Amino acid sequence: MSKILIIYTGGTVGMIYDDKTKALRPIGFNEIRNNLPELYRMGIDFYVYAFNPPIDSSDMQPEIWVELASIIEDRYDRYDGFVILHGSDTMAFTASALSFMLENLSKPVILTGSQLPIGKIRTDAKENIITAMEIACSRHNNGSQASMVPEVCIYFDFSLFRGNRSKKYNAEKFEAFYTMNYPQLAEAGIDIKYKQQFILPNPAAPLKVHKELETNITVLKLFPGITRSAVEAILSVPGLKGVIMETFGSGNTNTQPWFIESIKKVIDNGAIVVDITQCDGGSVELGKYETSQHLVEAGVVSGHDMTFEAAVTKLMFVLGQGLSKEESRKMIETSLRGELTPIEVY
């Protein structure tokens, strides 16, 4: 019998309508269990680690990612897989962060949640939890007993996604997530159909857990008419270590001298600037147009087709490794856990 650890952090999946306050309030895992008797008919030996009190996903912080990574590290040899119940709003950030922190992962870590609380009649919570648990204990039937999905994933609305490729794009539909730049890893219908060609291979090396994250980074999102004072204010954070720059199209910015000088100045002061596109689909191609050639000359790093969530958490992870600036730049542009597809610079 497979052994699964359910880590309950909080989120909509663990909320109930309060008749007195007329608002949703968090509940403990025992109440979730009471609303999901199917758990005992699955033939899975499951255990629960519950955060107390539950955490709203809007309050998710890097120190909680470190705690989650530590929980998995401490119990890694005792369980066949892990299911993390998490609020959907920041689920893609947590999935991305854990993918970088859990190097050489050979067991499934599946994040899931719901758009409706588990106590609602039309809730999507039950299917999401049940199927996430099935995926977490799935094995190859070739005799190897290797995990079917040895990576950090998000399961939502009949689809399994790579965690660091995922983005929440809809706040109203059950179909809340997608991976615009990467195929689904599995689709759940009558059977769960795995797309093995898109799933990471099982690693040969043992699990290595990284717990150092550098959080002194900021985000510069461009728009037509952005002022010099706004840009300089964003880039003047004391001790700034990194910048995620959300640019137009395939990585383009305006070419006004003051803007390029501001970017070059923050890079010369030791920060790493990562260029990602504001588009959900497609990739940064630095140097393809003249409007991005200036960025190459200034020393901006390409984020290729990384999501915003993956870029933020990867930058925190890389900067926490204590590497040289050149080593850090190279690592950011390299696919570590399948989070990006490199494109050659023009």
Side-chain angles (χ1 to χ4, degrees), residues 113-124:
S114 65
Q115 293 288 69
L116 284 176
I118 197 164
K120 291 281 188 179
I121 293 175
R122 292 183 54 250
T123 184
D124 54 329

Side-chain angles (χ1 to χ4, degrees), residues 141-158:
N141 57 7
N142 57 8
S144 68
Q145 288 299 301
S147 295
M148 190 75 78
V149 188
E151 55 177 290
V152 180
C153 300
I154 288 176
Y155 178 78
F156 231 88
D157 193 47
F158 305 104

